[in-house]
Amino acid sequence: MASRQAPLCGLAPCCLWLLGVVLLMNASARPANHSSARERAGNREENEILPPDHLNGVKLEMDGHLNKDFHQEVFLGKDMDDFEEDAEPRKSRRKLMVIFSKVDLNTDRRISAKEMQKWIMQKTAEHFQEAVAESRAHFRAVDPDGDGHVSWDEYKVKFLATKGHNEREVAEKIKNKWDLNIDEETQEVLENLKDRWYQADNPPPDLLLTESEFLSFLHPEHSRGMLQFMVKEIIRDLDQDGDKKLSLSEFISLPVGTVENQQGQDVDDGWVRDRKREFEELIDANHDGIVTMAELEDYMDPMNEFSALNEAKQMIAIADENQNHYLEPEEVLKYSEFFTGSKLVDYARSVHEEF
């Protein structure tokens, strides 16, 4: 980062002030749909027993926004952090070419859709393993008596403790059925969490979650039932005519409060373009202009091999400049920003350097 900061040292204070204003405007102009996983990760540790807002390797966020980091998540897997914007470009190019070699199973120096599909499934499995390990640690934190089950009340005590409440006092109030004296916003969050808790609780419901049920509570992508619940929630939020399906116009509707200036308009245009392409090319499987719950569920299922193949074809098409339906080293380097989130310069020369 030092190389980026050095040129700023000689700027006059007023220029720095103007730069700060511009950066603030850029931040406010970006809708939630465009936030990255790296930004979202900053708040994760503080609220670790809460279900994460972002699910790695899942196409849609919990609020129905497109996962803007999806392609990097399924192409880089655990190596995402190695491609930070301030990383040394030459090293990043070499790492990218190492990944290329791993995807290229038959070593013909090009990646086919089938090879990319297998790689996507492999990286998705990595994210699954990370989620299981994370959930296991959090389960132990909310299961103080170690009986292998977590009651709703046990979880509620731990949750309210993260909100600044005294853990002993909350436990005593719950035990005696006293008023918890919590604010309206926290109460609403608790009600939503309890609804999700019920969904994760396999029949017969007892409000006690096992370790595997707790995993489903935190990560709905690990459970067919919870994935269906997530799909219903997304359709409920986007469905404007109440038919429990999504039309193209419903899916691409802009979020409330978008910025009304040219920069905001550019972002809005990108929102519509990205969601329209996703709807028509990947979600609407039978191309009838309507997305059903079943279609959205198939699209969002991270372990759906057919969806992974479609995704592989789309990823190749974006960078396939010579239209041969394969990815070649120079194409991956040229479109490095799409695959890694970082733009790696001098891609053409780099092909000869790295191979």
Side-chain angles (χ1 to χ4, degrees):
M1 291 294 290
S3 61
R4 292 190 174 200
Q5 293 171 351
L8 295 177
C9 295
L11 289 177
C14 63
C15 293
L16 287 173
W17 178 84
L18 286 172
L19 178 60
V21 171
V22 170
L23 291 173
L24 285 172
M25 289 175 64
N26 285 342
S28 64
R30 182 178 59 202
N33 186 51
H34 288 252
S35 62
S36 72
R38 290 165 184 152
E39 292 169 344
R40 289 185 294 265
N43 298 322
R44 185 73 190 113
E45 188 174 338
E46 179 182 339
N47 300 311
E48 59 184 11
I49 67 169
L50 277 172
D53 293 329
H54 175 75
L55 303 173
N56 287 335
V58 179
K59 291 301 298 283
L60 289 183
E61 306 287 7
M62 302 291 286
D63 57 8
H65 289 166
L66 294 180
N67 175 4
K68 303 300 288 186
D69 296 308
F70 176 78
H71 298 115
Q72 288 121 53
E73 289 167 0
V74 297
F75 188 73
L76 301 179
K78 295 177 181 178
D79 295 323
M80 276 190 71
D81 291 340
D82 292 340
F83 290 87
E84 296 288 353
E85 289 186 11
D86 58 347
E88 203 281 306
R90 184 182 177 89
K91 290 182 180 178
S92 294
R93 290 195 297 267
R94 286 184 174 178
K95 289 175 183 176
L96 184 55
M97 288 298 96
V98 168
I99 292 173
F100 182 97
S101 299
K102 291 178 180 178
V103 185
D104 179 23
L105 294 175
N106 62 3
T107 66
D108 63 352
R109 286 174 51 85
R110 59 183 192 174
I111 295 173
S112 68
K114 281 288 186 183
E115 287 173 327
M116 183 68 85
Q117 177 199 29
K118 290 179 180 178
W119 183 255
I120 288 173
M121 297 299 291
Q122 182 179 328
K123 295 295 108 177
T124 300
E126 280 184 12
H127 290 307
F128 267 47
Q129 291 162 8
E130 288 178 345
V132 169
E134 176 191 89
S135 176
R136 186 175 294 125
H138 299 338
F139 183 81
R140 288 195 292 266
V142 296
D143 180 27
D145 54 14
D147 64 354
H149 295 83
V150 176
S151 71
W152 168 247
D153 285 345
E154 284 177 325
Y155 177 81
K156 186 160 60 172
V157 168
K158 295 293 184 180
F159 166 75
L160 290 175
T162 68
K163 295 293 185 180
H165 294 263
N166 182 281
E167 193 169 323
R168 281 189 173 184
E169 289 180 6
V170 171
E172 187 69 18
K173 287 179 179 180
I174 290 176
K175 180 180 178 181
N176 293 299
K177 301 187 182 334
W178 295 340
D179 187 4
L180 293 175
N181 295 320
I182 57 179
D183 61 81
E184 188 175 332
E185 182 181 348
T186 302
Q187 182 61 45
E188 184 178 349
V189 172
L190 268 176
E191 289 172 1
N192 290 334
L193 287 172
K194 189 172 184 179
D195 190 21
R196 185 167 173 152
W197 192 274
Y198 270 112
Q199 295 295 326
D201 187 15
N202 291 327
D206 54 8
L207 285 186
L208 295 172
L209 297 192
T210 63
E211 188 172 316
S212 63
E213 290 171 335
F214 189 73
L215 171 64
S216 298
F217 170 72
L218 291 181
H219 290 273
E221 75 275 22
H222 284 252
S223 159
R224 175 60 62 180
M226 285 299 289
L227 187 63
Q228 290 171 346
F229 173 70
M230 184 176 169
V231 166
K232 288 178 182 177
E233 291 286 291
I234 289 173
I235 288 184
R236 184 198 66 186
D237 290 343
L238 300 179
D239 180 20
Q240 297 172 8
D241 59 13
D243 65 353
K244 298 182 180 180
K245 300 174 184 177
L246 295 179
S247 64
L248 176 60
S249 62
E250 289 172 330
F251 190 72
I252 67 175
S253 293
L254 293 170
V256 177
T258 49
V259 182
E260 294 183 2
N261 56 29
Q262 185 55 51
Q263 184 183 34
Q265 186 60 52
D266 293 342
V267 172
D268 294 350
D269 291 344
W271 166 283
V272 171
R273 182 184 61 251
D274 292 347
R275 292 178 75 85
K276 185 174 187 291
R277 182 176 64 231
E278 205 74 11
F279 185 99
E280 294 177 340
E281 296 182 10
L282 294 175
I283 309 177
D284 182 15
N286 61 2
H287 304 293
D288 65 350
I290 297 292
V291 166
T292 63
M293 286 193 181
E295 285 176 320
L296 189 59
E297 184 182 334
D298 286 342
Y299 165 79
M300 290 186 62
D301 181 1
M303 298 309 291
N304 185 319
E305 293 189 6
F306 181 72
S307 293
L309 180 59
N310 284 339
E311 190 62 42
K313 290 176 180 177
Q314 188 191 59
M315 289 173 70
I316 289 174
I318 285 173
D320 183 21
E321 290 200 333
N322 62 11
Q323 299 294 301
N324 67 349
H325 306 294
Y326 291 88
L327 272 184
E328 295 168 4
E330 58 268 25
E331 292 171 333
V332 172
L333 286 166
K334 183 172 183 178
Y335 288 84
S336 61
E337 193 166 7
F338 173 76
F339 292 104
T340 71
S342 300
K343 195 167 185 177
L344 310 180
V345 296
D346 298 331
Y347 65 88
R349 187 178 64 188
S350 303
V351 175
H352 303 290
E353 290 177 353
E354 314 305 344
F355 278 86

